C-alpha cells in the first residue's frame, strides 16, 4: 500500500478542517526515540531507523527501562510530542519540516516520520508504537499538512515574491541615501574652500563682518556638527532653539524614516519573516510523502 501524498482537492480526510486548524487531534503512543538519517525521504531510510531504535529499545527493556508514553497533538501548526502527565512539550515538529511519514501495514502499530531539525538542520526520524492506529495517525498528519499548505498560500506564501521586491527597493533606497550623503559632504568641502579663498583675497586691514555663506538657493548650508548660531534676529530676540534630532533614527533623502515592512508595528511580521517564508516555501514545495510499508523484518519482538 503505497500512498504518495499529493494535495488533491477531492481527497477524503478523516477530520474536519476546523478540528485541525482551530484545535488539535490528540493521540497516545509509546515513543521509541529519534535518530539522525541521511535522506529526507525513503522507505529504506525509515526501515533502517526503525530497526536501530527497536534494537536500542530492547536493550533498555532488558535493563528494566520501560518505553516512555507520550501524547501527540496534531494540528496545522505541527506535531507536538508531550509528556502525558506534565504536558511538557518534548518536541515540536513543524509541518513544513516533515518530509516523509510511514506506517507499518502489517503491524498496524508502528509509524514514523522524518523531520528536519530547526537548529541543526539535520534530518531526524521519529518512531512511535501506537495502539492499532498507526495508519490513522499517518493520515491525520497528511491532512494537517494539506491544510497548513493551503493556509500558507492564503496568508504569506503569495507575498513572498512581493516582499523580496520590497527588500530590493529598500536596499536601493539605502544606496541612494549613501550617495546623497557623499554629495552633501563634497558640497560642504567646496563651500569651505570658497570661504578660505575669500579670506585670503580680502584687502589687508579691512575688518568687515562676514555673513554666513549661502548656497545656490541663497540658503545657509546646514551643518549637523556646527554649534547653534547665536546671531539675533532682526527684532533683537534670540531665535527659539532648534530641537535636536536623534542620530539613531535614520532618515531618507526626503527626511522621512525609511519604510520597513518587517517592523511596521508590534502586531506585524517579525524581522526574520523573509527567511521563515522562504524556509516554509521550500518545505511545502518538497511535499510530504505518506507510505505504508513493512518494518518488522527482524526477528525481534516488535512489542516493546
Amino acid at each position: 500500500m503505497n500512498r504518495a501524498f499529493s494535495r488533491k482537492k477531492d481527497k477524503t480526510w478523516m477530520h474536519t478542517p476546523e478540528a485541525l486548524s482551530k484545535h488539535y487531534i490528540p493521540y497516545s503512543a509509546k515513543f521509541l526515540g529519534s535518530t539522525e538519517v541521511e535522506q529526507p525521504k525513503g522507505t529504506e531510510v525509515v526501515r533502517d531507523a526503525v530497526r536501530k531504535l527497536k534494537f536500542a529499545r530492547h536493550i533498555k527493556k532488558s535493563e528494566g527501562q520501560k518505553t516512555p508514553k507520550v501524547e501527540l497533538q496534531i494540528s496545522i501548526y505541527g506535531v507536538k510530542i508531550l509528556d502525558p502527565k506534565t504536558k511538557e512539550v518534548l518536541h515540536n515538529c513543524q509541518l513544513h519540516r516533515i518530509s516523509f511519514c510511514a506506517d507499518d501495514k502489517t503491524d498496524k502499530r508502528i509509524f514514523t516520520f522524518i523531520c528536519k531539525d530547526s537548529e541543526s538542520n539535520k534530518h531526524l526520524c521519529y518512531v512511535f508504537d501506537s495502539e492499532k492506529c498507526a495508519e490513522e495517525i499517518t493520515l491525520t498528519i497528511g491532512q494537517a499538512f494539506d491544510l497548513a499548505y493551503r493556509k500558507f498560500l492564503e496568508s504569506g506564501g503569495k507575498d513572498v515574491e512581493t516582499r523580496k521586491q520590497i527588500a530590493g527597493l529598500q536596499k536601493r533606497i539605502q544606496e541612494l541615501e549613501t550617495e546623497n550623503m557623499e554629495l552633501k559632504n563634497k558640497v560642504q568641502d567646496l563651500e569651505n574652500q570658497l570661504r578660505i579663498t575669500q579670506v585670503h583675497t580680502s584687502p589687508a586691514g579691512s575688518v568687515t563682518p562676514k555673513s554666513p555663506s549661502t548656497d545656490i538657493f541663497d540658503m545657509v548650508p546646514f551643518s549637523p556638527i556646527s554649534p547653534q548660531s547665536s546671531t539675533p534676529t532682526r527684532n533683537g530676540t534670540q531665535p527659539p532653539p532648534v530641537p535636536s534630532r536623534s542620530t539613531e533614527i535614520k532618515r531618507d533623502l526626503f527626511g522621512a524614516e525609511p519604510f520597513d515592512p518587517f517592523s511596521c508595528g508590534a502586531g506585524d511580521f517579525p524581522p526574520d519573516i523573509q527567511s521563515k517564508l522562504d524556509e516554509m516555501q521550500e518545505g511545502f514545495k518538497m511535499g510530504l510523502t505518506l507510505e505504508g510499508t513493512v518494518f518488522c523484518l527482524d526477528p525481534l519482538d516488535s512489542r516493546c
Side-chain angles (χ1 to χ4, degrees), residues 224-243:
I225 60 174
S226 61
Q228 185 174 337
S229 175
S230 59
T231 305
T233 56
R234 294 183 179 180
N235 58 6
T237 60
Q238 291 289 343
V242 179

Side-chain angles (χ1 to χ4, degrees), residues 36-202:
E36 182 181 353
V37 293
E38 297 296 330
Q39 301 294 331
K41 296 176 183 286
T43 302
E44 290 300 326
V45 174
V46 295
R47 182 176 290 143
D48 291 341
V50 170
R51 281 201 189 101
K52 178 180 178 180
L53 291 174
K54 286 174 67 176
F55 181 76
R57 181 52 54 187
H58 274 277
I59 294 178
K60 292 182 179 180
K61 183 179 179 181
S62 64
E63 296 173 352
Q65 298 184 26
K66 294 183 178 180
T67 305
K69 294 182 179 180
V70 296
E71 177 183 338
L72 299 175
Q73 294 182 355
I74 303 174
S75 69
I76 63 172
Y77 300 103
V79 179
K80 289 185 179 180
I81 306 172
L82 302 89
D83 184 293
K85 295 181 179 180
T86 64
K87 300 300 180 182
E88 176 187 359
V89 179
L90 306 177
H91 302 277
N92 188 8
C93 304
Q94 296 175 309
L95 290 176
H96 68 275
R97 291 181 171 273
I98 300 177
S99 54
F100 192 84
C101 189
D103 58 86
D104 194 329
K105 66 179 182 179
T106 58
D107 192 293
K108 303 296 183 182
R109 297 184 304 116
I110 302 296
F111 73 95
T112 178
F113 62 81
I114 298 177
C115 180
K116 189 177 183 180
D117 185 70
S118 59
E119 296 182 359
S120 64
N121 280 332
K122 296 179 179 179
H123 297 286
L124 301 178
C125 183
Y126 295 80
V127 181
F128 302 88
D129 182 348
S130 67
E131 293 296 333
K132 304 291 184 179
C133 56
E135 183 178 0
E136 178 181 341
I137 296 176
T138 301
L139 289 175
T140 301
I141 294 176
Q143 181 182 4
F145 186 96
D146 179 76
L147 293 173
Y149 175 74
R150 295 183 186 183
K151 184 177 178 64
F152 172 74
L153 291 180
E154 293 172 358
S155 56
K158 294 181 179 179
D159 298 333
V160 172
E161 295 301 325
T162 301
R163 295 184 188 283
K164 287 183 178 179
Q165 294 177 5
I166 292 177
L169 291 175
Q170 282 184 292
K171 182 179 180 181
R172 180 55 182 161
I173 290 176
Q174 292 176 354
E175 293 174 351
L176 291 174
E177 288 177 343
T178 302
E179 294 177 2
N180 183 57
M181 183 60 65
E182 292 176 353
L183 290 174
K184 283 184 177 180
N185 293 335
K186 290 182 180 180
V187 171
Q188 186 66 44
D189 292 340
L190 290 174
E191 291 178 347
N192 292 337
Q193 294 177 9
L194 179 61
R195 282 198 294 269
I196 294 174
T197 304
Q198 290 176 348
V199 170
H200 288 301
T201 56
S202 60

Side-chain angles (χ1 to χ4, degrees), residues 262-263 269-275:
F262 306 144
S263 59
F269 298 105
D272 58 347
I273 184 64
Q274 191 60 56
S275 61

